[in-house]
Every structure is written in structure tokens, then in C-alpha cells.
Amino acid sequence: MNSKQASGLAIIGGTGLTQMPGVSKIREHHPESPYGALSAPVEEYEVGGERFYFLARHGHPHSIAPHRVNYRANIDGLSRLGVSQVVAVNAVGAVHPGMPSTTIVLPDQIIDYTSDREHTFFDGTEEPLQHIDFSWPYSENLRQSLLGAASQMGLTVVPRAVYGCTQGPRLETVAEVQRLARDGCDLVGMTGMPEAGLARERQLDYACVALVVNPAAGIGHQEITMAEIEQAIAQGMGQVRNLLQHWIQARGPSSV
Ligand code: HPA
């Protein structure tokens, strides 16, 4: 029997990252959750002797819309597997004009514009009501650790930003993006919440690695096309994977 255990780390991959090519897949897990089915089986990988879990947020094949992802089952299921750290990968639009496509950003704040998503474990029915602190939605330890790995690799990343999470699946209007900018958002995506809040409710360390795949509506002065998004993913997601692989090996087992 192999005595190695997967570490308490999970990567949640979003659009453009539905698996981890280049690393060895060990097995799949099917954790059960009272909150329902996870988006996909949880895959266990090994890179450089380090094990981690991977979950495709939008399923296999990529088909679950952002507002239909069962975020509660995903976070609860990972927590039941023994996960204590989650790095989420999210494709985003840039509200900030200085973040061109393929820029990698580690946000440090969130504004939640979503509605009608199952967004809490603590609504007083399934689990007792609790008001958790969410002042700093991302784990600063995880963020700094990822930033350190990027710097070791000589990879330029934007070290902080405000992620505005919209309901989707449609993209925003120009006026909506102008409002996001006035609110202080730098990025716009559809999957950052309620995932981050649920991770905090389950006391998981959680950080986001965001890849800019388009200028948000009105920022690029052109309509947004799927072709440009796909091109940015093709050009940029490899660097996100490199960063994660380098970080997983550099951080070693002791930091789990
Ligand atoms: N808006 C919202 N979500 C997104 C975008 C966008 O422009 N690009 C990628 N995800």
C-alpha cells in the first residue's frame, strides 16, 4: 500500500482549467455531502512528490453555469476529504484598464453582486446561524505564499485587486462595468462568490489566482467575443499552471 496521503490542499479550476496536464493523476475521490453532488469527482494528483486535490468547478465536460454550480457541495465535500487550503482559479474580465488579457492577479478583496445562489451553510436550518468575519475574504498567508512563488519564478503578477462577482452567465453592460469601477472593482467574474464565503464558513484557507481573459464591457471599446477569451486562456493558463506547480513543490508538505 502506498503510504502517501494527499495534502490538505485543493485547487478548484475554473474556465480554462478543467484538469492539470503535466502532473500525475493518482486516483479519483467521490466525497458525499448532504448539500448534494459536487461538480465532478475530486482528482488526486502528485507533482514533485507533493499530493493535492483538484476539482473542476464547472464539471467534466465544462457545462455547469456559474449560477448553477453547487458551491456548498463543492466546499463541503472538499472539507470532508480533509482539505484545509483551497486555491481557486478564476477567469475574469478586467475592469481596471491597466490589466491586459493574460495578466495574473491575486485579489485581496471581493464585492458580491450575485443573487439567488445557495451562499451559506449557516442559515439556521441545515446548520445553526452564525455571522462569520469576512473582512479579509482571502487568506493572507496563502496569498503571500503564492506571491513568493511567483517572484521566485520571475513571474509578474498583480498582488492585490478587488474582485466583483456578478451573477452571469451573460456578460455585463458598459454601465454595469462603470458602476463596478466606481465601486472600486478591478476585476469582474462570475464564480468568486459564494465560494470564498463558504470556504471561510468551513474555516478553510482560501486564495484566488485570477487570469484576465478580456477587458470588461466598455473597457476595451469593442464587443467581447468568445474567441478573444479562448485565445487569452490558451495564452495565459499555462502560466497559471506553472505557478501552481512551482508553488506546490516549493511550499513542501510542512506548510499544510
Ligand atoms: N465579466 C464577467 N465574468 C467574466 C468576464 C467578464 O467580462 N470575463 C471572464 N469572466
PDB file of all heavy atoms in Angstrom, residues 15 90-94 163-164 166 168-172 177 180 188-191 211-217 224 229, ligand 1:
ATOM      1  N   THR A  15     -13.019  28.075 -15.654  1.00  0.00           N
ATOM      2  CA  THR A  15     -12.981  28.082 -17.112  1.00  0.00           C
ATOM      3  C   THR A  15     -11.536  28.069 -17.587  1.00  0.00           C
ATOM      4  O   THR A  15     -10.726  28.878 -17.148  1.00  0.00           O
ATOM      5  CB  THR A  15     -13.699  29.357 -17.639  1.00  0.00           C
ATOM      6  OG1 THR A  15     -15.016  29.368 -17.113  1.00  0.00           O
ATOM      7  CG2 THR A  15     -13.736  29.381 -19.151  1.00  0.00           C
ATOM      8  N   ASN A  90      -9.736  31.454 -11.342  1.00  0.00           N
ATOM      9  CA  ASN A  90     -10.903  32.084 -11.953  1.00  0.00           C
ATOM     10  C   ASN A  90     -10.493  32.895 -13.173  1.00  0.00           C
ATOM     11  O   ASN A  90      -9.580  33.724 -13.090  1.00  0.00           O
ATOM     12  CB  ASN A  90     -11.574  33.043 -10.954  1.00  0.00           C
ATOM     13  CG  ASN A  90     -12.008  32.364  -9.669  1.00  0.00           C
ATOM     14  OD1 ASN A  90     -11.186  32.049  -8.820  1.00  0.00           O
ATOM     15  ND2 ASN A  90     -13.278  32.130  -9.509  1.00  0.00           N
ATOM     16  N   ALA A  91     -11.172  32.672 -14.288  1.00  0.00           N
ATOM     17  CA  ALA A  91     -11.011  33.550 -15.454  1.00  0.00           C
ATOM     18  C   ALA A  91     -11.872  34.791 -15.212  1.00  0.00           C
ATOM     19  O   ALA A  91     -13.016  34.672 -14.776  1.00  0.00           O
ATOM     20  CB  ALA A  91     -11.464  32.824 -16.712  1.00  0.00           C
ATOM     21  N   VAL A  92     -11.327  35.959 -15.476  1.00  0.00           N
ATOM     22  CA  VAL A  92     -12.042  37.207 -15.160  1.00  0.00           C
ATOM     23  C   VAL A  92     -11.889  38.228 -16.285  1.00  0.00           C
ATOM     24  O   VAL A  92     -10.973  38.136 -17.103  1.00  0.00           O
ATOM     25  CB  VAL A  92     -11.493  37.846 -13.849  1.00  0.00           C
ATOM     26  CG1 VAL A  92     -11.757  36.958 -12.646  1.00  0.00           C
ATOM     27  CG2 VAL A  92     -10.001  38.163 -13.975  1.00  0.00           C
ATOM     28  N   GLY A  93     -12.794  39.203 -16.270  1.00  0.00           N
ATOM     29  CA  GLY A  93     -12.633  40.377 -17.113  1.00  0.00           C
ATOM     30  C   GLY A  93     -11.938  41.466 -16.311  1.00  0.00           C
ATOM     31  O   GLY A  93     -12.047  41.509 -15.083  1.00  0.00           O
ATOM     32  N   ALA A  94     -11.216  42.339 -17.001  1.00  0.00           N
ATOM     33  CA  ALA A  94     -10.522  43.432 -16.302  1.00  0.00           C
ATOM     34  C   ALA A  94     -11.380  44.693 -16.348  1.00  0.00           C
ATOM     35  O   ALA A  94     -11.718  45.189 -17.425  1.00  0.00           O
ATOM     36  CB  ALA A  94      -9.170  43.700 -16.949  1.00  0.00           C
ATOM     37  N   TYR A 163     -12.162  41.997  -6.533  1.00  0.00           N
ATOM     38  CA  TYR A 163     -12.882  41.116  -7.453  1.00  0.00           C
ATOM     39  C   TYR A 163     -14.383  41.360  -7.267  1.00  0.00           C
ATOM     40  O   TYR A 163     -14.911  41.130  -6.177  1.00  0.00           O
ATOM     41  CB  TYR A 163     -12.516  39.661  -7.104  1.00  0.00           C
ATOM     42  CG  TYR A 163     -13.182  38.567  -7.908  1.00  0.00           C
ATOM     43  CD1 TYR A 163     -12.431  37.608  -8.551  1.00  0.00           C
ATOM     44  CD2 TYR A 163     -14.568  38.450  -7.974  1.00  0.00           C
ATOM     45  CE1 TYR A 163     -13.024  36.575  -9.270  1.00  0.00           C
ATOM     46  CE2 TYR A 163     -15.169  37.437  -8.709  1.00  0.00           C
ATOM     47  CZ  TYR A 163     -14.406  36.504  -9.341  1.00  0.00           C
ATOM     48  OH  TYR A 163     -15.004  35.495 -10.051  1.00  0.00           O
ATOM     49  N   GLY A 164     -15.049  41.827  -8.301  1.00  0.00           N
ATOM     50  CA  GLY A 164     -16.507  41.983  -8.271  1.00  0.00           C
ATOM     51  C   GLY A 164     -17.142  40.746  -8.879  1.00  0.00           C
ATOM     52  O   GLY A 164     -16.821  40.385 -10.008  1.00  0.00           O
ATOM     53  N   THR A 166     -20.310  38.920 -10.351  1.00  0.00           N
ATOM     54  CA  THR A 166     -21.641  39.151 -10.919  1.00  0.00           C
ATOM     55  C   THR A 166     -22.357  37.817 -11.136  1.00  0.00           C
ATOM     56  O   THR A 166     -21.752  36.753 -11.068  1.00  0.00           O
ATOM     57  CB  THR A 166     -21.542  39.915 -12.247  1.00  0.00           C
ATOM     58  OG1 THR A 166     -20.661  39.197 -13.117  1.00  0.00           O
ATOM     59  CG2 THR A 166     -21.016  41.326 -12.042  1.00  0.00           C
ATOM     60  N   GLY A 168     -24.105  36.590 -13.899  1.00  0.00           N
ATOM     61  CA  GLY A 168     -23.969  35.873 -15.158  1.00  0.00           C
ATOM     62  C   GLY A 168     -25.228  35.082 -15.486  1.00  0.00           C
ATOM     63  O   GLY A 168     -26.237  35.207 -14.809  1.00  0.00           O
ATOM     64  N   PRO A 169     -25.170  34.169 -16.476  1.00  0.00           N
ATOM     65  CA  PRO A 169     -23.994  33.924 -17.292  1.00  0.00           C
ATOM     66  C   PRO A 169     -23.724  34.985 -18.363  1.00  0.00           C
ATOM     67  O   PRO A 169     -22.676  34.943 -18.985  1.00  0.00           O
ATOM     68  CB  PRO A 169     -24.294  32.559 -17.947  1.00  0.00           C
ATOM     69  CG  PRO A 169     -25.779  32.445 -17.947  1.00  0.00           C
ATOM     70  CD  PRO A 169     -26.261  33.210 -16.755  1.00  0.00           C
ATOM     71  N   ARG A 170     -24.648  35.932 -18.546  1.00  0.00           N
ATOM     72  CA  ARG A 170     -24.325  36.962 -19.540  1.00  0.00           C
ATOM     73  C   ARG A 170     -23.209  37.846 -19.012  1.00  0.00           C
ATOM     74  O   ARG A 170     -23.014  37.973 -17.796  1.00  0.00           O
ATOM     75  CB  ARG A 170     -25.560  37.813 -19.859  1.00  0.00           C
ATOM     76  CG  ARG A 170     -26.023  38.659 -18.676  1.00  0.00           C
ATOM     77  CD  ARG A 170     -26.982  39.762 -19.087  1.00  0.00           C
ATOM     78  NE  ARG A 170     -27.449  40.503 -17.925  1.00  0.00           N
ATOM     79  CZ  ARG A 170     -26.793  41.489 -17.336  1.00  0.00           C
ATOM     80  NH1 ARG A 170     -25.596  41.871 -17.796  1.00  0.00           N
ATOM     81  NH2 ARG A 170     -27.278  42.099 -16.276  1.00  0.00           N
ATOM     82  N   LEU A 171     -22.498  38.467 -19.927  1.00  0.00           N
ATOM     83  CA  LEU A 171     -21.506  39.463 -19.520  1.00  0.00           C
ATOM     84  C   LEU A 171     -22.234  40.769 -19.183  1.00  0.00           C
ATOM     85  O   LEU A 171     -23.443  40.904 -19.389  1.00  0.00           O
ATOM     86  CB  LEU A 171     -20.481  39.659 -20.639  1.00  0.00           C
ATOM     87  CG  LEU A 171     -19.695  38.379 -20.985  1.00  0.00           C
ATOM     88  CD1 LEU A 171     -18.866  38.572 -22.246  1.00  0.00           C
ATOM     89  CD2 LEU A 171     -18.811  37.955 -19.826  1.00  0.00           C
ATOM     90  N   GLU A 172     -21.495  41.752 -18.678  1.00  0.00           N
ATOM     91  CA  GLU A 172     -22.104  42.964 -18.151  1.00  0.00           C
ATOM     92  C   GLU A 172     -22.366  43.983 -19.265  1.00  0.00           C
ATOM     93  O   GLU A 172     -21.770  43.926 -20.330  1.00  0.00           O
ATOM     94  CB  GLU A 172     -21.185  43.596 -17.092  1.00  0.00           C
ATOM     95  CG  GLU A 172     -20.954  42.746 -15.879  1.00  0.00           C
ATOM     96  CD  GLU A 172     -20.099  41.506 -16.139  1.00  0.00           C
ATOM     97  OE1 GLU A 172     -19.140  41.606 -16.926  1.00  0.00           O
ATOM     98  OE2 GLU A 172     -20.414  40.439 -15.576  1.00  0.00           O
ATOM     99  N   VAL A 177     -20.372  47.896 -15.841  1.00  0.00           N
ATOM    100  CA  VAL A 177     -18.916  47.890 -15.596  1.00  0.00           C
ATOM    101  C   VAL A 177     -18.475  49.245 -15.055  1.00  0.00           C
ATOM    102  O   VAL A 177     -17.615  49.320 -14.172  1.00  0.00           O
ATOM    103  CB  VAL A 177     -18.147  47.475 -16.875  1.00  0.00           C
ATOM    104  CG1 VAL A 177     -16.645  47.696 -16.706  1.00  0.00           C
ATOM    105  CG2 VAL A 177     -18.432  46.011 -17.199  1.00  0.00           C
ATOM    106  N   LEU A 180     -19.191  49.083 -11.507  1.00  0.00           N
ATOM    107  CA  LEU A 180     -18.190  48.262 -10.809  1.00  0.00           C
ATOM    108  C   LEU A 180     -16.922  49.091 -10.565  1.00  0.00           C
ATOM    109  O   LEU A 180     -16.331  49.045  -9.479  1.00  0.00           O
ATOM    110  CB  LEU A 180     -17.844  47.018 -11.634  1.00  0.00           C
ATOM    111  CG  LEU A 180     -18.937  45.951 -11.810  1.00  0.00           C
ATOM    112  CD1 LEU A 180     -18.479  44.876 -12.789  1.00  0.00           C
ATOM    113  CD2 LEU A 180     -19.280  45.310 -10.491  1.00  0.00           C
ATOM    114  N   VAL A 188     -13.804  41.562 -12.815  1.00  0.00           N
ATOM    115  CA  VAL A 188     -15.178  41.074 -12.740  1.00  0.00           C
ATOM    116  C   VAL A 188     -15.198  39.616 -13.187  1.00  0.00           C
ATOM    117  O   VAL A 188     -14.587  39.255 -14.194  1.00  0.00           O
ATOM    118  CB  VAL A 188     -16.161  41.946 -13.551  1.00  0.00           C
ATOM    119  CG1 VAL A 188     -15.762  42.055 -15.023  1.00  0.00           C
ATOM    120  CG2 VAL A 188     -17.591  41.420 -13.427  1.00  0.00           C
ATOM    121  N   GLY A 189     -15.860  38.806 -12.383  1.00  0.00           N
ATOM    122  CA  GLY A 189     -16.007  37.390 -12.705  1.00  0.00           C
ATOM    123  C   GLY A 189     -17.344  36.901 -12.172  1.00  0.00           C
ATOM    124  O   GLY A 189     -18.108  37.686 -11.588  1.00  0.00           O
ATOM    125  N   MET A 190     -17.631  35.623 -12.379  1.00  0.00           N
ATOM    126  CA  MET A 190     -18.951  35.110 -12.004  1.00  0.00           C
ATOM    127  C   MET A 190     -18.898  33.995 -10.968  1.00  0.00           C
ATOM    128  O   MET A 190     -19.943  33.492 -10.571  1.00  0.00           O
ATOM    129  CB  MET A 190     -19.663  34.563 -13.257  1.00  0.00           C
ATOM    130  CG  MET A 190     -19.858  35.583 -14.341  1.00  0.00           C
ATOM    131  SD  MET A 190     -20.546  34.817 -15.820  1.00  0.00           S
ATOM    132  CE  MET A 190     -20.345  36.167 -16.993  1.00  0.00           C
ATOM    133  N   THR A 191     -17.702  33.601 -10.538  1.00  0.00           N
ATOM    134  CA  THR A 191     -17.614  32.395  -9.704  1.00  0.00           C
ATOM    135  C   THR A 191     -16.859  32.594  -8.385  1.00  0.00           C
ATOM    136  O   THR A 191     -16.698  31.634  -7.637  1.00  0.00           O
ATOM    137  CB  THR A 191     -16.916  31.261 -10.494  1.00  0.00           C
ATOM    138  OG1 THR A 191     -15.708  31.767 -11.052  1.00  0.00           O
ATOM    139  CG2 THR A 191     -17.808  30.729 -11.598  1.00  0.00           C
ATOM    140  N   LEU A 211      -7.067  34.945 -13.765  1.00  0.00           N
ATOM    141  CA  LEU A 211      -6.438  35.212 -15.062  1.00  0.00           C
ATOM    142  C   LEU A 211      -7.363  36.130 -15.853  1.00  0.00           C
ATOM    143  O   LEU A 211      -8.525  35.795 -16.099  1.00  0.00           O
ATOM    144  CB  LEU A 211      -6.232  33.895 -15.833  1.00  0.00           C
ATOM    145  CG  LEU A 211      -5.675  34.056 -17.253  1.00  0.00           C
ATOM    146  CD1 LEU A 211      -4.210  34.518 -17.221  1.00  0.00           C
ATOM    147  CD2 LEU A 211      -5.793  32.753 -18.048  1.00  0.00           C
ATOM    148  N   VAL A 212      -6.828  37.292 -16.241  1.00  0.00           N
ATOM    149  CA  VAL A 212      -7.621  38.223 -17.063  1.00  0.00           C
ATOM    150  C   VAL A 212      -7.731  37.658 -18.477  1.00  0.00           C
ATOM    151  O   VAL A 212      -6.716  37.343 -19.109  1.00  0.00           O
ATOM    152  CB  VAL A 212      -6.971  39.620 -17.094  1.00  0.00           C
ATOM    153  CG1 VAL A 212      -7.737  40.544 -18.044  1.00  0.00           C
ATOM    154  CG2 VAL A 212      -6.908  40.228 -15.701  1.00  0.00           C
ATOM    155  N   VAL A 213      -8.979  37.505 -18.940  1.00  0.00           N
ATOM    156  CA  VAL A 213      -9.188  36.927 -20.275  1.00  0.00           C
ATOM    157  C   VAL A 213      -9.859  37.900 -21.242  1.00  0.00           C
ATOM    158  O   VAL A 213     -10.007  37.589 -22.423  1.00  0.00           O
ATOM    159  CB  VAL A 213      -9.972  35.595 -20.201  1.00  0.00           C
ATOM    160  CG1 VAL A 213      -9.161  34.538 -19.457  1.00  0.00           C
ATOM    161  CG2 VAL A 213     -11.343  35.773 -19.572  1.00  0.00           C
ATOM    162  N   ASN A 214     -10.251  39.057 -20.748  1.00  0.00           N
ATOM    163  CA  ASN A 214     -10.806  40.096 -21.628  1.00  0.00           C
ATOM    164  C   ASN A 214     -10.890  41.403 -20.854  1.00  0.00           C
ATOM    165  O   ASN A 214     -11.011  41.385 -19.636  1.00  0.00           O
ATOM    166  CB  ASN A 214     -12.214  39.715 -22.128  1.00  0.00           C
ATOM    167  CG  ASN A 214     -13.209  39.523 -20.994  1.00  0.00           C
ATOM    168  OD1 ASN A 214     -13.223  38.478 -20.358  1.00  0.00           O
ATOM    169  ND2 ASN A 214     -14.006  40.530 -20.739  1.00  0.00           N
ATOM    170  N   PRO A 215     -10.830  42.543 -21.577  1.00  0.00           N
ATOM    171  CA  PRO A 215     -11.204  43.794 -20.916  1.00  0.00           C
ATOM    172  C   PRO A 215     -12.721  43.763 -20.721  1.00  0.00           C
ATOM    173  O   PRO A 215     -13.447  43.334 -21.627  1.00  0.00           O
ATOM    174  CB  PRO A 215     -10.797  44.887 -21.930  1.00  0.00           C
ATOM    175  CG  PRO A 215     -10.166  44.184 -23.087  1.00  0.00           C
ATOM    176  CD  PRO A 215     -10.501  42.729 -22.996  1.00  0.00           C
ATOM    177  N   ALA A 216     -13.211  44.161 -19.551  1.00  0.00           N
ATOM    178  CA  ALA A 216     -14.656  44.125 -19.285  1.00  0.00           C
ATOM    179  C   ALA A 216     -15.384  45.063 -20.248  1.00  0.00           C
ATOM    180  O   ALA A 216     -14.763  45.916 -20.906  1.00  0.00           O
ATOM    181  CB  ALA A 216     -14.910  44.506 -17.830  1.00  0.00           C
ATOM    182  N   ALA A 217     -16.710  44.924 -20.302  1.00  0.00           N
ATOM    183  CA  ALA A 217     -17.511  45.679 -21.282  1.00  0.00           C
ATOM    184  C   ALA A 217     -17.224  47.184 -21.197  1.00  0.00           C
ATOM    185  O   ALA A 217     -17.253  47.770 -20.120  1.00  0.00           O
ATOM    186  CB  ALA A 217     -18.984  45.418 -21.025  1.00  0.00           C
ATOM    187  N   ILE A 224     -17.206  41.995 -26.595  1.00  0.00           N
ATOM    188  CA  ILE A 224     -16.359  40.893 -26.101  1.00  0.00           C
ATOM    189  C   ILE A 224     -16.739  39.626 -26.870  1.00  0.00           C
ATOM    190  O   ILE A 224     -17.922  39.309 -27.000  1.00  0.00           O
ATOM    191  CB  ILE A 224     -16.599  40.701 -24.588  1.00  0.00           C
ATOM    192  CG1 ILE A 224     -16.243  41.987 -23.837  1.00  0.00           C
ATOM    193  CG2 ILE A 224     -15.806  39.513 -24.059  1.00  0.00           C
ATOM    194  CD1 ILE A 224     -16.818  42.071 -22.439  1.00  0.00           C
ATOM    195  N   ILE A 229     -11.621  35.502 -25.607  1.00  0.00           N
ATOM    196  CA  ILE A 229     -11.497  34.869 -24.287  1.00  0.00           C
ATOM    197  C   ILE A 229     -10.720  33.557 -24.419  1.00  0.00           C
ATOM    198  O   ILE A 229      -9.796  33.283 -23.644  1.00  0.00           O
ATOM    199  CB  ILE A 229     -12.900  34.659 -23.669  1.00  0.00           C
ATOM    200  CG1 ILE A 229     -13.494  36.019 -23.284  1.00  0.00           C
ATOM    201  CG2 ILE A 229     -12.839  33.711 -22.476  1.00  0.00           C
ATOM    202  CD1 ILE A 229     -14.886  35.973 -22.678  1.00  0.00           C
TER     203      ILE A 229
HETATM  204  N1  HPA B   1     -17.432  39.529 -16.897  1.00  0.00           N
HETATM  205  C1  HPA B   1     -17.778  38.572 -16.012  1.00  0.00           C
HETATM  206  N2  HPA B   1     -17.175  37.412 -15.914  1.00  0.00           N
HETATM  207  C2  HPA B   1     -16.139  37.181 -16.731  1.00  0.00           C
HETATM  208  C3  HPA B   1     -15.712  38.125 -17.683  1.00  0.00           C
HETATM  209  C4  HPA B   1     -16.388  39.357 -17.768  1.00  0.00           C
HETATM  210  O1  HPA B   1     -16.082  40.237 -18.581  1.00  0.00           O
HETATM  211  N3  HPA B   1     -14.666  37.568 -18.357  1.00  0.00           N
HETATM  212  C5  HPA B   1     -14.466  36.332 -17.802  1.00  0.00           C
HETATM  213  N4  HPA B   1     -15.361  36.092 -16.830  1.00  0.00           N
END
